[in-house]
Amino acid sequence: MTLAPTRPRRPRWPWIVGVVLVVIVVAVAITLTVAMHPSASPSPSKTPTATATASPSAGVAPTGCLGGSNRDNTMLLAAQKTAPHTTNGAVEFAAAVVRWTLRHPTATADEADAVAPQIIASDASPDFKDLGAAVTQNQNPSGGAVADGTDFYVSTAPGVYYVDSAAPDKVTVSIGAGYVIGGAVNPQLRTSTTYVLEWEDGGWRVQSGSLAHTTEDLFKIGTPFTGGC
């Protein structure tokens, strides 16, 4: 697993800063297996092709708010429990993981350790599973987009999703969200994260994460959530 988020930069779009965040909260090895360390340079732009995408399954379109508006373990596990065994269900769970992960104050080490066995796939790397160590080492999961010590979270209300690939038990999905600082959605700061999710033991779990798209590209190709929180 490799993950290499980029430092914030100002792209061609005036309303989006190319902030690409990592996946789950684990700042462990070199490029982040489950973490959020910025890399030395922005990730290169990618032009997705139509063949890389699978259409979301029929049913209720992803709201980006499954599990409720909180950003705690209860929300995350509720989203996992209620996310159906469909592509749209995988999208909803991925959005919940983004909301749980990208915030300050972050989850405590105990909270992260409590939820890790339930949300991380059994075939994920050992480092990826060590969420408690990650939150201890990395208290600013924004990768520098927000100043250290500043309270923030991300919202899917201005967010988008893009299904990179889909099979019955394995879905790769990219989630874009907006930063909320001081109670207001920042008009410029956005995030982009891609997850590989696997259906295991009756629920979606995170197998790995990456930065498959620049933030700008994701917001061009992504589908807006129908609700968001």
Side-chain angles (χ1 to χ4, degrees), residues 172-186:
T172 301
V173 59
S174 299
I175 302 293
Y179 279 93
V180 178
I181 306 170
V185 176
N186 187 287

Side-chain angles (χ1 to χ4, degrees), residues 61-184:
T63 65
C65 202
L66 196 67
S69 60
N70 292 329
R71 287 160 172 80
D72 54 15
N73 285 11
T74 299
M75 176 281 296
L76 184 58
L77 295 178
Q80 183 190 46
K81 182 178 181 179
T82 54
H85 190 183
T86 62
T87 303
N88 282 348
V91 172
E92 290 279 31
F93 179 62
V97 174
V98 168
R99 293 190 292 121
W100 180 88
T101 302
L102 301 179
R103 57 188 167 109
H104 183 275
T106 63
T108 66
D110 287 344
E111 289 170 336
D113 284 338
V115 79
Q118 300 176 69
I119 67 166
I120 305 298
S122 59
D123 61 347
S125 76
D127 284 343
F128 199 89
K129 297 175 182 178
D130 197 357
L131 296 186
V135 298
T136 299
Q137 296 171 29
N138 183 23
Q139 290 295 305
N140 186 353
S142 77
V146 181
D148 290 350
T150 301
D151 289 356
F152 74 90
Y153 61 89
V154 297
S155 171
T156 51
V160 299
Y161 64 92
Y162 181 82
V163 179
D164 294 87
S165 64
D169 293 330
K170 190 170 186 175
V171 175
T172 301
V173 59
S174 299
I175 302 293
Y179 279 93
V180 178
I181 306 170

Side-chain angles (χ1 to χ4, degrees), residues 15-31:
W15 58 277
I16 283 185
V17 168
V19 178
V20 208
L21 305 199
V22 285
V23 300
I24 270 194
V25 151
V26 192
V28 210
I30 309 182
T31 51

